[in-house]
């Protein structure tokens, strides 16, 4: 893992809101033009994105919650990169 990204702090971009949507039975990312349904893994990762904790802290927390998930660090970093590319989050 790149040390640079681990020290960054991810935050939802302005206009996006993360929440549980009972009607969809999943976490969603709401934005002015619509809604993105998230799978369980994406929901677990975005639930940790609070604009305060670093990527390293998020990885550590999820590794602790899901010790049986091998390679979780790579999955988290790949998801955060996709979320950044789609302008859902920003890395500070």
């Amino acid at each position: 893992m790149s040390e640079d990204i681990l020290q960054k702090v991810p935050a939802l971009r302005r206009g996006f809101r993360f929440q549980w949507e009972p009607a969809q039975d999943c976490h969603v990312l709401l934005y002015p033009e619509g809604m993105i349904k998230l799978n369980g893994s994406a929901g677990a990762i975005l639930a940790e994105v609070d604009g305060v904790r670093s990527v390293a802290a998020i990885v550590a927390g999820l590794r602790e919650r899901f010790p049986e998930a091998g390679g979780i660090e790579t999955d988290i970093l790949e998801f955060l990169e996709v979320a950044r590319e789609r302008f859902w989050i920003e890395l500070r």
Side-chain angles (χ1 to χ4, degrees), residues 3-64:
E3 289 301 315
D4 276 352
I5 186 113
L6 292 176
Q7 302 313 312
K8 299 280 187 182
V9 175
L12 290 177
R13 290 183 67 91
R14 188 170 176 216
F16 283 81
R17 189 174 74 222
F18 172 78
Q19 70 181 41
W20 176 259
E21 183 60 52
Q24 302 290 330
D25 194 31
C26 66
H27 283 102
V28 297
L29 194 55
L30 300 172
Y31 60 104
E33 296 83 27
M35 174 182 74
I36 301 159
K37 289 177 66 171
L38 302 167
N39 66 24
S41 298
I45 295 167
L46 279 184
E48 301 297 315
V49 171
D50 60 6
V52 176
R53 286 180 284 178
S54 69
V55 171
I58 291 170
V59 168
L62 289 170
R63 190 184 308 130
E64 189 174 306

Side-chain angles (χ1 to χ4, degrees), residues 45 59 62-67 69-77:
I45 295 167
V59 168
L62 289 170
R63 190 184 308 130
E64 189 174 306
R65 277 183 51 203
F66 303 103
I72 193 169
E73 297 89 353
T74 302
D75 292 342
I76 294 166
L77 292 177

